[in-house]
mmCIF file of all heavy atoms in Angstrom:
data_model
loop_
_atom_site.group_PDB
_atom_site.id
_atom_site.type_symbol
_atom_site.label_atom_id
_atom_site.label_comp_id
_atom_site.label_asym_id
_atom_site.label_seq_id
_atom_site.Cartn_x
_atom_site.Cartn_y
_atom_site.Cartn_z
ATOM 1 N N TYR A 35 82.139 305.962 132.556
ATOM 2 C CA TYR A 35 81.377 306.879 131.703
ATOM 3 C C TYR A 35 79.884 306.801 131.997
ATOM 4 O O TYR A 35 79.201 307.827 132.115
ATOM 5 C CB TYR A 35 81.652 306.554 130.226
ATOM 6 C CG TYR A 35 80.766 307.318 129.273
ATOM 7 C CD1 TYR A 35 81.096 308.607 128.846
ATOM 8 C CD2 TYR A 35 79.567 306.763 128.805
ATOM 9 C CE1 TYR A 35 80.279 309.307 127.981
ATOM 10 C CE2 TYR A 35 78.747 307.468 127.932
ATOM 11 C CZ TYR A 35 79.104 308.738 127.530
ATOM 12 O OH TYR A 35 78.285 309.430 126.679
ATOM 13 N N CYS A 36 79.388 305.578 132.128
ATOM 14 C CA CYS A 36 77.955 305.410 132.386
ATOM 15 C C CYS A 36 77.569 306.074 133.699
ATOM 16 O O CYS A 36 76.539 306.751 133.807
ATOM 17 C CB CYS A 36 77.577 303.931 132.414
ATOM 18 S SG CYS A 36 77.649 303.127 130.791
ATOM 19 N N ASN A 37 78.415 305.891 134.709
ATOM 20 C CA ASN A 37 78.110 306.487 136.014
ATOM 21 C C ASN A 37 78.226 308.008 135.966
ATOM 22 O O ASN A 37 77.380 308.725 136.514
ATOM 23 C CB ASN A 37 79.049 305.925 137.080
ATOM 24 C CG ASN A 37 78.652 304.508 137.477
ATOM 25 O OD1 ASN A 37 77.451 304.171 137.483
ATOM 26 N ND2 ASN A 37 79.619 303.672 137.781
ATOM 27 N N GLU A 38 79.280 308.516 135.313
ATOM 28 C CA GLU A 38 79.517 309.958 135.302
ATOM 29 C C GLU A 38 78.484 310.717 134.454
ATOM 30 O O GLU A 38 78.122 311.838 134.765
ATOM 31 C CB GLU A 38 80.907 310.261 134.742
ATOM 32 C CG GLU A 38 82.040 309.900 135.686
ATOM 33 C CD GLU A 38 83.383 309.863 134.983
ATOM 34 O OE1 GLU A 38 83.480 310.438 133.867
ATOM 35 O OE2 GLU A 38 84.312 309.254 135.513
ATOM 36 N N SER A 39 78.031 310.079 133.373
ATOM 37 C CA SER A 39 77.197 310.817 132.416
ATOM 38 C C SER A 39 75.712 310.600 132.643
ATOM 39 O O SER A 39 74.885 311.148 131.898
ATOM 40 C CB SER A 39 77.539 310.364 130.998
ATOM 41 O OG SER A 39 77.189 309.009 130.828
ATOM 42 N N ALA A 40 75.384 309.825 133.666
ATOM 43 C CA ALA A 40 73.975 309.503 133.910
ATOM 44 C C ALA A 40 73.341 308.817 132.713
ATOM 45 O O ALA A 40 72.142 308.910 132.483
ATOM 46 C CB ALA A 40 73.187 310.746 134.320
ATOM 47 N N PHE A 41 74.164 308.129 131.912
ATOM 48 C CA PHE A 41 73.669 307.335 130.780
ATOM 49 C C PHE A 41 72.780 306.223 131.325
ATOM 50 O O PHE A 41 73.158 305.508 132.236
ATOM 51 C CB PHE A 41 74.885 306.745 130.042
ATOM 52 C CG PHE A 41 74.543 305.848 128.881
ATOM 53 C CD1 PHE A 41 74.133 306.375 127.660
ATOM 54 C CD2 PHE A 41 74.667 304.469 128.987
ATOM 55 C CE1 PHE A 41 73.856 305.539 126.585
ATOM 56 C CE2 PHE A 41 74.379 303.623 127.920
ATOM 57 C CZ PHE A 41 73.971 304.170 126.722
ATOM 58 N N VAL A 42 71.594 306.106 130.780
ATOM 59 C CA VAL A 42 70.690 305.071 131.289
ATOM 60 C C VAL A 42 70.424 303.969 130.271
ATOM 61 O O VAL A 42 69.612 303.082 130.494
ATOM 62 C CB VAL A 42 69.332 305.671 131.735
ATOM 63 C CG1 VAL A 42 69.531 306.566 132.938
ATOM 64 C CG2 VAL A 42 68.672 306.415 130.580
ATOM 65 N N GLY A 43 71.112 304.056 129.153
ATOM 66 C CA GLY A 43 70.906 303.044 128.122
ATOM 67 C C GLY A 43 70.343 303.663 126.858
ATOM 68 O O GLY A 43 70.042 304.856 126.819
ATOM 69 N N PRO A 44 70.201 302.843 125.817
ATOM 70 C CA PRO A 44 69.709 303.350 124.525
ATOM 71 C C PRO A 44 68.351 304.020 124.683
ATOM 72 O O PRO A 44 67.546 303.626 125.522
ATOM 73 C CB PRO A 44 69.569 302.077 123.684
ATOM 74 C CG PRO A 44 70.453 301.070 124.343
ATOM 75 C CD PRO A 44 70.447 301.395 125.787
ATOM 76 N N ASP A 45 68.104 305.025 123.833
ATOM 77 C CA ASP A 45 66.857 305.795 123.984
ATOM 78 C C ASP A 45 65.717 305.288 123.107
ATOM 79 O O ASP A 45 64.716 305.959 122.946
ATOM 80 C CB ASP A 45 67.105 307.278 123.735
ATOM 81 C CG ASP A 45 67.511 307.554 122.297
ATOM 82 O OD1 ASP A 45 67.701 306.576 121.543
ATOM 83 O OD2 ASP A 45 67.642 308.721 121.946
ATOM 84 N N ALA A 46 65.887 304.119 122.506
ATOM 85 C CA ALA A 46 64.766 303.562 121.738
ATOM 86 C C ALA A 46 63.590 303.338 122.681
ATOM 87 O O ALA A 46 63.763 302.959 123.831
ATOM 88 C CB ALA A 46 65.171 302.252 121.076
ATOM 89 N N ASN A 47 62.416 303.596 122.188
ATOM 90 C CA ASN A 47 61.229 303.448 123.023
ATOM 91 C C ASN A 47 60.223 302.546 122.304
ATOM 92 O O ASN A 47 59.050 302.866 122.154
ATOM 93 C CB ASN A 47 60.626 304.821 123.327
ATOM 94 C CG ASN A 47 59.706 304.771 124.529
ATOM 95 O OD1 ASN A 47 59.772 303.839 125.334
ATOM 96 N ND2 ASN A 47 58.847 305.755 124.654
ATOM 97 N N ASP A 48 60.731 301.404 121.835
ATOM 98 C CA ASP A 48 59.886 300.507 121.046
ATOM 99 C C ASP A 48 58.737 299.922 121.861
ATOM 100 O O ASP A 48 57.671 299.648 121.317
ATOM 101 C CB ASP A 48 60.724 299.353 120.503
ATOM 102 C CG ASP A 48 61.707 299.836 119.438
ATOM 103 O OD1 ASP A 48 61.406 300.844 118.792
ATOM 104 O OD2 ASP A 48 62.755 299.192 119.283
ATOM 105 N N TYR A 49 58.991 299.702 123.148
ATOM 106 C CA TYR A 49 57.983 299.052 123.989
ATOM 107 C C TYR A 49 57.767 299.907 125.229
ATOM 108 O O TYR A 49 58.320 299.630 126.284
ATOM 109 C CB TYR A 49 58.439 297.638 124.366
ATOM 110 C CG TYR A 49 58.735 296.802 123.137
ATOM 111 C CD1 TYR A 49 60.043 296.536 122.746
ATOM 112 C CD2 TYR A 49 57.701 296.310 122.351
ATOM 113 C CE1 TYR A 49 60.311 295.793 121.610
ATOM 114 C CE2 TYR A 49 57.954 295.565 121.213
ATOM 115 C CZ TYR A 49 59.267 295.309 120.844
ATOM 116 O OH TYR A 49 59.526 294.584 119.706
ATOM 117 N N PRO A 50 56.968 300.953 125.105
ATOM 118 C CA PRO A 50 56.776 301.866 126.245
ATOM 119 C C PRO A 50 56.257 301.103 127.459
ATOM 120 O O PRO A 50 55.333 300.283 127.336
ATOM 121 C CB PRO A 50 55.742 302.864 125.723
ATOM 122 C CG PRO A 50 55.755 302.734 124.243
ATOM 123 C CD PRO A 50 56.151 301.326 123.947
ATOM 124 N N LYS A 51 56.847 301.408 128.576
ATOM 125 C CA LYS A 51 56.433 300.776 129.823
ATOM 126 C C LYS A 51 54.944 301.032 130.030
ATOM 127 O O LYS A 51 54.483 302.173 130.023
ATOM 128 C CB LYS A 51 57.221 301.436 130.972
ATOM 129 C CG LYS A 51 57.498 300.554 132.141
ATOM 130 C CD LYS A 51 58.470 301.282 133.083
ATOM 131 C CE LYS A 51 58.566 300.578 134.411
ATOM 132 N NZ LYS A 51 59.583 301.233 135.276
ATOM 133 N N GLY A 52 54.183 299.987 130.206
ATOM 134 C CA GLY A 52 52.771 300.180 130.481
ATOM 135 C C GLY A 52 51.881 300.171 129.250
ATOM 136 O O GLY A 52 50.668 300.067 129.374
ATOM 137 N N ALA A 53 52.480 300.288 128.058
ATOM 138 C CA ALA A 53 51.637 300.176 126.860
ATOM 139 C C ALA A 53 51.118 298.742 126.767
ATOM 140 O O ALA A 53 51.862 297.813 127.052
ATOM 141 C CB ALA A 53 52.415 300.552 125.602
ATOM 142 N N PRO A 54 49.866 298.567 126.371
ATOM 143 C CA PRO A 54 49.291 297.219 126.364
ATOM 144 C C PRO A 54 50.074 296.243 125.480
ATOM 145 O O PRO A 54 50.124 295.050 125.766
ATOM 146 C CB PRO A 54 47.884 297.431 125.801
ATOM 147 C CG PRO A 54 47.578 298.861 126.056
ATOM 148 C CD PRO A 54 48.888 299.585 125.968
ATOM 149 N N THR A 55 50.668 296.756 124.396
ATOM 150 C CA THR A 55 51.421 295.853 123.527
ATOM 151 C C THR A 55 52.727 295.368 124.152
ATOM 152 O O THR A 55 53.301 294.385 123.707
ATOM 153 C CB THR A 55 51.768 296.574 122.204
ATOM 154 O OG1 THR A 55 52.167 297.904 122.511
ATOM 155 C CG2 THR A 55 50.575 296.594 121.275
ATOM 156 N N THR A 56 53.206 296.065 125.166
ATOM 157 C CA THR A 56 54.559 295.815 125.663
ATOM 158 C C THR A 56 54.670 294.517 126.455
ATOM 159 O O THR A 56 55.606 293.744 126.266
ATOM 160 C CB THR A 56 55.030 297.004 126.525
ATOM 161 O OG1 THR A 56 55.019 298.178 125.704
ATOM 162 C CG2 THR A 56 56.425 296.774 127.083
ATOM 163 N N ALA A 57 53.773 294.280 127.381
ATOM 164 C CA ALA A 57 53.909 293.072 128.200
ATOM 165 C C ALA A 57 52.567 292.672 128.796
ATOM 166 O O ALA A 57 51.768 293.520 129.189
ATOM 167 C CB ALA A 57 54.916 293.295 129.323
ATOM 168 N N LYS A 58 52.337 291.362 128.839
ATOM 169 C CA LYS A 58 51.184 290.857 129.572
ATOM 170 C C LYS A 58 51.425 291.101 131.048
ATOM 171 O O LYS A 58 52.548 290.893 131.542
ATOM 172 C CB LYS A 58 51.049 289.358 129.365
ATOM 173 C CG LYS A 58 50.591 288.961 128.010
ATOM 174 C CD LYS A 58 50.206 287.481 128.040
ATOM 175 C CE LYS A 58 50.367 286.906 126.668
ATOM 176 N NZ LYS A 58 49.608 285.685 126.443
ATOM 177 N N PRO A 59 50.401 291.488 131.798
ATOM 178 C CA PRO A 59 50.604 291.775 133.227
ATOM 179 C C PRO A 59 51.255 290.604 133.976
ATOM 180 O O PRO A 59 52.131 290.820 134.808
ATOM 181 C CB PRO A 59 49.181 292.033 133.726
ATOM 182 C CG PRO A 59 48.443 292.505 132.514
ATOM 183 C CD PRO A 59 49.039 291.781 131.353
ATOM 184 N N ALA A 60 50.859 289.389 133.666
ATOM 185 C CA ALA A 60 51.355 288.241 134.441
ATOM 186 C C ALA A 60 52.831 287.950 134.212
ATOM 187 O O ALA A 60 53.404 287.095 134.881
ATOM 188 C CB ALA A 60 50.533 286.999 134.089
ATOM 189 N N THR A 61 53.446 288.644 133.247
ATOM 190 C CA THR A 61 54.851 288.342 132.965
ATOM 191 C C THR A 61 55.812 289.143 133.835
ATOM 192 O O THR A 61 57.019 288.993 133.713
ATOM 193 C CB THR A 61 55.176 288.629 131.489
ATOM 194 O OG1 THR A 61 54.954 290.017 131.228
ATOM 195 C CG2 THR A 61 54.324 287.781 130.555
ATOM 196 N N LYS A 62 55.283 289.996 134.687
ATOM 197 C CA LYS A 62 56.171 290.823 135.511
ATOM 198 C C LYS A 62 56.660 290.029 136.716
ATOM 199 O O LYS A 62 55.856 289.524 137.501
ATOM 200 C CB LYS A 62 55.414 292.074 135.966
ATOM 201 C CG LYS A 62 56.312 293.151 136.527
ATOM 202 C CD LYS A 62 55.678 294.529 136.441
ATOM 203 C CE LYS A 62 56.529 295.576 137.150
ATOM 204 N NZ LYS A 62 57.866 295.714 136.566
ATOM 205 N N PRO A 63 57.994 289.880 136.882
ATOM 206 C CA PRO A 63 58.520 289.110 138.019
ATOM 207 C C PRO A 63 58.170 289.794 139.348
ATOM 208 O O PRO A 63 58.013 291.018 139.421
ATOM 209 C CB PRO A 63 60.038 289.129 137.796
ATOM 210 C CG PRO A 63 60.229 289.457 136.354
ATOM 211 C CD PRO A 63 59.071 290.328 135.986
ATOM 212 N N ALA A 64 58.071 288.964 140.383
ATOM 213 C CA ALA A 64 57.773 289.485 141.723
ATOM 214 C C ALA A 64 58.844 290.452 142.210
ATOM 215 O O ALA A 64 58.583 291.340 143.027
ATOM 216 C CB ALA A 64 57.614 288.324 142.705
ATOM 217 N N SER A 65 60.049 290.303 141.700
ATOM 218 C CA SER A 65 61.160 291.158 142.131
ATOM 219 C C SER A 65 60.985 292.602 141.720
ATOM 220 O O SER A 65 61.675 293.487 142.223
ATOM 221 C CB SER A 65 62.457 290.634 141.513
ATOM 222 O OG SER A 65 62.392 290.739 140.100
ATOM 223 N N GLY A 66 60.092 292.859 140.799
ATOM 224 C CA GLY A 66 59.958 294.207 140.279
ATOM 225 C C GLY A 66 60.812 294.447 139.039
ATOM 226 O O GLY A 66 60.712 295.497 138.406
ATOM 227 N N ASN A 67 61.643 293.477 138.679
ATOM 228 C CA ASN A 67 62.432 293.609 137.454
ATOM 229 C C ASN A 67 61.508 293.553 136.228
ATOM 230 O O ASN A 67 60.354 293.113 136.331
ATOM 231 C CB ASN A 67 63.483 292.510 137.385
ATOM 232 C CG ASN A 67 64.695 292.835 138.240
ATOM 233 O OD1 ASN A 67 64.997 294.005 138.518
ATOM 234 N ND2 ASN A 67 65.389 291.803 138.705
ATOM 235 N N PRO A 68 62.007 293.975 135.091
ATOM 236 C CA PRO A 68 61.133 294.026 133.897
ATOM 237 C C PRO A 68 60.686 292.639 133.449
ATOM 238 O O PRO A 68 61.388 291.642 133.662
ATOM 239 C CB PRO A 68 62.022 294.659 132.820
ATOM 240 C CG PRO A 68 63.168 295.268 133.532
ATOM 241 C CD PRO A 68 63.353 294.500 134.806
ATOM 242 N N PRO A 69 59.512 292.547 132.808
ATOM 243 C CA PRO A 69 59.066 291.300 132.200
ATOM 244 C C PRO A 69 60.155 290.754 131.260
ATOM 245 O O PRO A 69 60.778 291.513 130.522
ATOM 246 C CB PRO A 69 57.815 291.699 131.416
ATOM 247 C CG PRO A 69 57.310 292.911 132.126
ATOM 248 C CD PRO A 69 58.520 293.628 132.621
ATOM 249 N N GLY A 70 60.371 289.467 131.312
ATOM 250 C CA GLY A 70 61.371 288.849 130.436
ATOM 251 C C GLY A 70 62.790 288.885 130.967
ATOM 252 O O GLY A 70 63.703 288.412 130.308
ATOM 253 N N SER A 71 62.984 289.419 132.164
ATOM 254 C CA SER A 71 64.358 289.582 132.650
ATOM 255 C C SER A 71 64.819 288.437 133.555
ATOM 256 O O SER A 71 65.987 288.393 133.920
ATOM 257 C CB SER A 71 64.490 290.916 133.393
ATOM 258 O OG SER A 71 63.691 290.912 134.559
ATOM 259 N N GLU A 72 63.928 287.521 133.946
ATOM 260 C CA GLU A 72 64.337 286.443 134.847
ATOM 261 C C GLU A 72 64.089 285.079 134.199
ATOM 262 O O GLU A 72 62.963 284.762 133.775
ATOM 263 C CB GLU A 72 63.585 286.564 136.170
ATOM 264 C CG GLU A 72 63.984 287.851 136.908
ATOM 265 C CD GLU A 72 63.351 287.972 138.303
ATOM 266 O OE1 GLU A 72 62.632 287.045 138.737
ATOM 267 O OE2 GLU A 72 63.579 289.018 138.936
ATOM 268 N N LEU A 73 65.129 284.275 134.164
ATOM 269 C CA LEU A 73 65.066 282.996 133.453
ATOM 270 C C LEU A 73 63.970 282.085 134.000
ATOM 271 O O LEU A 73 63.231 281.470 133.214
ATOM 272 C CB LEU A 73 66.427 282.290 133.525
ATOM 273 C CG LEU A 73 66.469 280.865 132.976
ATOM 274 C CD1 LEU A 73 66.081 280.820 131.511
ATOM 275 C CD2 LEU A 73 67.843 280.222 133.173
ATOM 276 N N ALA A 74 63.852 281.988 135.316
ATOM 277 C CA ALA A 74 62.913 281.005 135.888
ATOM 278 C C ALA A 74 61.477 281.282 135.414
ATOM 279 O O ALA A 74 60.770 280.369 134.979
ATOM 280 C CB ALA A 74 62.987 281.035 137.418
ATOM 281 N N LEU A 75 61.061 282.535 135.494
ATOM 282 C CA LEU A 75 59.696 282.874 135.084
ATOM 283 C C LEU A 75 59.519 282.724 133.563
ATOM 284 O O LEU A 75 58.512 282.207 133.082
ATOM 285 C CB LEU A 75 59.356 284.294 135.526
ATOM 286 C CG LEU A 75 57.894 284.736 135.306
ATOM 287 C CD1 LEU A 75 56.935 283.866 136.117
ATOM 288 C CD2 LEU A 75 57.703 286.216 135.677
ATOM 289 N N LEU A 76 60.513 283.192 132.827
ATOM 290 C CA LEU A 76 60.443 283.075 131.366
ATOM 291 C C LEU A 76 60.361 281.603 130.952
ATOM 292 O O LEU A 76 59.550 281.231 130.110
ATOM 293 C CB LEU A 76 61.655 283.762 130.732
ATOM 294 C CG LEU A 76 61.740 283.721 129.201
ATOM 295 C CD1 LEU A 76 62.303 285.030 128.644
ATOM 296 C CD2 LEU A 76 62.588 282.567 128.687
ATOM 297 N N ARG A 77 61.184 280.773 131.608
ATOM 298 C CA ARG A 77 61.178 279.345 131.277
ATOM 299 C C ARG A 77 59.817 278.730 131.552
ATOM 300 O O ARG A 77 59.274 277.968 130.744
ATOM 301 C CB ARG A 77 62.249 278.631 132.102
ATOM 302 C CG ARG A 77 62.267 277.123 131.936
ATOM 303 C CD ARG A 77 63.576 276.547 132.455
ATOM 304 N NE ARG A 77 63.963 277.101 133.757
ATOM 305 C CZ ARG A 77 65.207 277.065 134.225
ATOM 306 N NH1 ARG A 77 66.192 276.516 133.520
ATOM 307 N NH2 ARG A 77 65.488 277.587 135.394
ATOM 308 N N GLU A 78 59.250 279.089 132.691
ATOM 309 C CA GLU A 78 57.956 278.537 133.070
ATOM 310 C C GLU A 78 56.853 278.966 132.102
ATOM 311 O O GLU A 78 56.003 278.165 131.700
ATOM 312 C CB GLU A 78 57.618 279.015 134.500
ATOM 313 C CG GLU A 78 56.245 278.631 134.999
ATOM 314 C CD GLU A 78 55.859 279.436 136.248
ATOM 315 O OE1 GLU A 78 56.757 279.764 137.050
ATOM 316 O OE2 GLU A 78 54.669 279.774 136.382
ATOM 317 N N GLN A 79 56.892 280.251 131.708
ATOM 318 C CA GLN A 79 55.797 280.801 130.895
ATOM 319 C C GLN A 79 55.967 280.574 129.384
ATOM 320 O O GLN A 79 55.028 280.786 128.625
ATOM 321 C CB GLN A 79 55.616 282.293 131.192
ATOM 322 C CG GLN A 79 55.180 282.554 132.639
ATOM 323 C CD GLN A 79 54.849 284.007 132.916
ATOM 324 O OE1 GLN A 79 55.446 284.896 132.338
ATOM 325 N NE2 GLN A 79 53.896 284.244 133.820
ATOM 326 N N THR A 80 57.164 280.201 128.978
ATOM 327 C CA THR A 80 57.345 279.933 127.534
ATOM 328 C C THR A 80 57.665 278.462 127.295
ATOM 329 O O THR A 80 56.814 277.688 126.896
ATOM 330 C CB THR A 80 58.445 280.823 126.917
ATOM 331 O OG1 THR A 80 59.705 280.540 127.529
ATOM 332 C CG2 THR A 80 58.114 282.286 127.084
#
Side-chain angles (χ1 to χ4, degrees):
Chain A
Y35 172 85
C36 290
N37 284 327
E38 287 165 18
S39 65
F41 177 78
V42 293
D45 65 354
N47 199 19
D48 291 333
Y49 304 104
K51 211 171 168 175
T55 42
T56 300
K58 288 192 207 201
T61 61
K62 194 157 173 61
S65 64
N67 280 334
S71 65
E72 294 185 2
L73 173 60
L75 187 62
L76 180 143
R77 175 164 46 200
E78 175 195 327
Q79 296 186 327
T80 63

